[in-house]
Amino acid sequence: MQGRLTDRVAVVTGAGSGIGLATVRRFAAEGATVVCVDIDAEAGRRAADEVAGDFVACDVADDTSVRELFDGVVARHGRVDVAFNNAGISPPDDDSILETGLDAWERVLRVNTTSVYLCCRHVIPHMRRQGRGSIINTASFVALMGAATSQIAYTASKGGVLAMTRELGVQFAREGIRVNALCPGPVATPLLLELFAADPERAARRLVHVPMGRFGAPEEIAAAVAFLASDDSSFMTASQFVVDGGITGAYVTPL
Ligand code: NAD
């Protein structure tokens, strides 16, 4: 069977680690030419080398860099079919609103929300010319439900991604451009595992709310991204696609 992304050019931001890296591998396995974007040149280049793709060093919160990124992709490859706007941060100084200063708030909003605005702003004109394209913006389940273990800037940043995505999906629906938000539940990335290994109580406090009783794997999120990127999801746009082990549907979870 042919890959679902054969002959497609796909850009992945935050390609060097976690969900982005798993998606780079999945997109390549589905036949795509993958452009790996990361602020961390070493990790991004490693991801690109693994799939014989391109690497572009870029801070996705910088207007000029993002414009040059997408113009460059179209100049080199002739088109851009998929944009997975995934890079994001969740720094330790983003905490309760009582502790989180303006510096952390603005940094998180810039990297998590302004970056999505910039990527969409600079990729959509190319997709309009082509008359097709699939954009997937990474939000989070915390955009849909509240947590007493707050990271207030992160939560607000992902709420912004969700609302922006819905609006873009509606605005460009008749031009062949689909825009969907991905809402992963907690994913067992190396950073999260390290944090929870050092503090098992912290993990237990969260796991009790997950019906499946475990965190997700990056590959499980990548499979959902590949679906949203491909024509298998051709009647989906402006959606919030939840991949969360059942968290957002749960009241009392199994023992
Ligand atoms: P990660 O930290 O493993 O990877 C993020 C990548 O983004 C890194 O390679 C980093 O270098 C890159 N990056 C950071 N700032 C950048 C910038 N300004 N420009 C370009 N690249 C930059 O993170 P992850 O856990 O794979 O998360 C990926 C996305 O998924 C994020 O948007 C995150 O908020 C979201 N998310 C993660 C989880 C989770 O539990 N891991 C859950 C829900 C949503």
Side-chain angles (χ1 to χ4, degrees):
M1 202 173 114
Q2 243 200 353
R4 291 179 297 178
L5 299 176
T6 300
D7 297 331
R8 306 277 166 94
V9 177
V11 176
V12 177
T13 72
S17 173
I19 294 168
L21 179 58
T23 303
V24 166
R25 291 175 176 146
R26 180 66 191 245
F27 277 4
E30 296 269 7
T33 297
V34 188
V35 180
C36 298
V37 180
D38 210 293
I39 200 168
D40 177 341
E42 205 182 307
R45 200 177 298 282
R46 207 179 313 126
D49 286 349
E50 199 183 309
V51 299
D54 275 9
F55 167 65
V56 180
C58 173
D59 175 356
V60 289
D62 182 75
D63 189 17
T64 307
S65 308
V66 174
R67 183 172 39 76
E68 287 174 358
L69 161 69
F70 287 107
D71 289 354
V73 169
V74 172
R76 283 192 305 281
H77 297 284
R79 53 188 303 108
V80 53
D81 300 289
V82 176
F84 179 35
N85 301 321
N86 163 76
I89 54 170
S90 160
D93 56 347
D94 175 22
D95 201 286
S96 152
I97 196 164
L98 302 174
E99 315 292 336
T100 305
L102 192 57
D103 169 62
W105 169 268
E106 286 179 344
R107 190 168 3 105
V108 170
L109 266 289
R110 264 193 84 71
V111 178
N112 290 5
T113 316
T114 305
S115 69
V116 173
Y117 151 77
L118 291 174
C119 287
C120 290
R121 180 167 155 74
H122 291 305
V123 80
I124 285 173
H126 294 295
M127 290 180 168
R128 288 184 82 196
R129 265 194 303 278
Q130 296 165 188
R132 67 174 294 150
S134 174
I135 298 174
I136 304 108
N137 296 326
T138 307
S140 167
F141 73 112
V142 302
L144 302 169
M145 62 196 307
T149 51
S150 183
Q151 284 194 288
I152 195 62
Y154 183 87
T155 297
S157 75
K158 295 303 188 179
V161 170
L162 209 57
M164 180 172 20
T165 303
R166 186 186 306 122
E167 189 135 302
L168 295 176
V170 171
Q171 183 180 353
F172 296 102
R174 298 191 185 183
E175 296 189 52
I177 303 171
R178 300 186 297 110
V179 194
N180 290 291
L182 179 77
C183 295
V187 175
T189 53
L191 201 76
L192 197 86
L193 288 178
E194 209 174 286
L195 205 71
F196 289 156
D199 189 352
E201 212 174 294
R202 201 175 159 146
R205 174 127 200 242
R206 287 157 177 79
L207 276 174
V208 71
H209 297 288
V210 189
M212 286 191 181
R214 65 175 178 84
F215 297 124
E219 294 74 21
E220 292 177 302
I221 309 300
V225 184
F227 166 71
L228 291 173
S230 79
D231 294 344
D232 277 356
S233 58
S234 52
F235 198 48
M236 283 184 68
T237 198
S239 81
Q240 43 196 48
F241 198 73
V242 177
V243 187
D244 71 345
I247 297 172
T248 51
Y251 170 32
V252 178
T253 59
L255 287 172

